[in-house]
Amino acid sequence: MVKKLCKYWGLAVFIFLAGAAGAQDYSGWRLYHAEGDIVLTSSGSRTIYKSGSSEFEGTILRIQDMVQTGSGKAEIQLIPEDPLSVRGTSTVLKLEENTSLLVDNLNGTEPSLELLYGRIRLVEGTSSQVVRIRVGNSVCILRNSDAALEYVTQPGVTQPKLELHCFKGQGGELIPLSQPGAADIASLPVRANETLSLEYHIPFSYVERKPLEQDIVSYWAADSFTAAPLAMPSTELGRVPSRQQSEPETAYVPPPPEGQTNRIKNGTIISGLICIGTGMTLQGISAFGSQDSRFRDTFLYGGYGSVGLGAIFLLGAILYNPR
């Protein structure tokens, strides 16, 4: 009887500890830093924190809470209910100017957000390995990655363009959601040092994948994170790994054979000597031939022209000396 009682007590304690451990899996985003004016909407109440204010520090964001930045910026960190249970580093996220971010439903241990508009950078820590972010008509799933999401409008276009830049880590995938009149798109994987862009123009969707550009890395590297409350992952960004670029092809034209070169040079010399000889002959006829002034001037000036042409041929023969 005592053994049975101990067995039941042990089972009860195990269930209690398992429930407590499960409760600790729940995580919330904590707003810990801001620059400039930011707006926090929570439980239907809208609060504006002016530049320089510190009243928001430590605010835990719950489901359906929204953070908006105008000319300012904000930083949040994924923190569990029991910070002492954190092992490793905790995920941090940065909101750039003119960004609206909504805390979405939490899917178990996978926190989820919704980027309504703007630019964010997410650096995942070791304590939470997967983060889901809904952007427009797509869901972005990031795993152990350092990535940036941009969902902004382009000049002359009303529909925002989605761009996913993966700097390092395991990467993730972009899953476009079905919409009326549009064809379904398969999951789009993204890896480190890649940029994936997606545009919707119903009934078409345009997807482009390209290597990560250095100016994108420089933009986010220049706007680094501040120190977070809990241990945070490394947010340093280096240069894009050099990719082997195809060198421009240079057409090689081999020089003419030596025999052909000599023939060209000799032909030019002979042509020059013939022209000079012809010119001197014409000038001789002009001097000792006909007494008619009209013919005499014609042969004289014609001789000068022929001698000049021959001199050009000889000069060309001298300069023509290919390898």
Side-chain angles (χ1 to χ4, degrees):
M1 183 69 181
V2 175
K3 289 185 178 179
K4 272 189 179 180
L5 188 60
C6 292
K7 182 178 179 181
Y8 290 144
W9 273 106
L11 182 60
V13 171
F14 175 78
I15 294 175
F16 173 79
L17 293 177
Q24 288 182 356
D25 287 338
Y26 173 80
S27 310
W29 295 95
R30 181 171 296 178
L31 180 62
Y32 70 89
H33 178 75
E35 302 174 13
D37 298 347
I38 63 171
V39 179
L40 175 61
T41 303
S42 178
S43 302
S45 176
R46 188 169 180 266
T47 306
I48 301 177
Y49 296 99
K50 293 294 184 179
S51 177
S53 172
S54 59
E55 297 178 2
F56 61 86
E57 292 182 1
T59 300
I60 296 180
L61 305 177
R62 300 298 184 182
I63 297 174
Q64 297 304 309
D65 285 0
M66 182 170 59
V67 180
Q68 294 175 288
T69 61
S71 59
K73 303 176 182 180
E75 296 177 26
I76 60 178
Q77 186 175 36
L78 188 60
I79 297 180
E81 290 293 326
D82 182 10
L84 298 179
S85 66
V86 176
R87 294 181 180 179
T89 57
S90 295
T91 300
V92 290
L93 185 145
K94 189 176 187 69
L95 291 77
E96 289 293 299
E97 299 175 350
N98 301 316
T99 297
S100 297
L101 186 70
L102 180 70
V103 179
D104 205 346
N105 294 328
L106 300 180
N107 181 14
T109 59
E110 298 179 4
S112 57
L113 301 164
E114 182 173 0
L115 177 60
L116 303 176
Y117 187 84
R119 296 180 173 90
I120 61 173
R121 179 187 170 195
L122 177 77
V123 185
E124 291 180 283
T126 56
S127 60
S128 57
Q129 301 180 353
V130 178
V131 176
R132 297 173 181 266
I133 304 176
R134 181 182 177 115
V135 189
N137 294 317
S138 305
V139 173
C140 177
I141 303 176
L142 297 174
R143 300 180 179 89
N144 298 319
S145 301
D146 182 351
L149 280 164
E150 300 185 11
Y151 189 56
V152 296
T153 55
Q154 305 296 322
V157 181
T158 57
Q159 178 69 22
K161 178 181 179 181
L162 170 59
E163 288 188 330
L164 171 58
H165 312 290
C166 187
F167 303 116
K168 53 188 176 181
Q170 185 177 345
E173 57 184 325
L174 188 64
I175 305 175
L177 304 178
S178 300
Q179 53 181 341
D184 292 341
I185 305 178
S187 172
L188 305 170
V190 61
R191 293 170 291 274
N193 298 312
E194 282 188 348
T195 292
L196 189 67
S197 61
L198 175 63
E199 289 185 87
Y200 283 109
H201 297 284
I202 298 176
F204 303 105
S205 299
Y206 300 92
V207 179
E208 180 184 8
R209 184 191 305 276
K210 59 183 179 181
L212 189 63
E213 297 178 355
Q214 182 59 46
D215 58 345
I216 299 295
V217 178
S218 300
Y219 170 82
W220 289 100
D223 195 6
S224 59
F225 285 79
T226 57
L230 296 183
M232 58 188 292
S234 174
T235 60
E236 297 296 326
L237 291 177
R239 295 187 60 85
V240 174
S242 59
R243 297 180 293 272
Q244 185 176 1
Q245 298 180 352
S246 58
E247 297 182 357
E249 297 182 359
T250 303
Y252 172 70
V253 180
E258 186 176 354
Q260 182 179 352
T261 302
N262 293 335
R263 286 195 297 270
I264 295 175
K265 191 177 185 71
N266 294 337
T268 306
I269 294 174
I270 293 172
S271 299
L273 293 176
I274 290 175
C275 290
I276 292 176
T278 303
M280 295 179 67
T281 302
L282 291 176
Q283 288 184 345
I285 294 174
S286 172
F288 304 104
S290 174
Q291 300 299 320
D292 188 345
S293 62
R294 186 181 62 177
F295 287 100
R296 187 170 59 250
D297 293 342
T298 301
F299 282 109
L300 177 63
Y301 295 119
Y304 281 126
S306 183
V307 171
L309 183 60
I312 294 175
F313 274 112
L314 291 179
L315 180 61
I318 295 172
L319 298 178
Y320 182 70
N321 189 25
R323 294 175 55 186

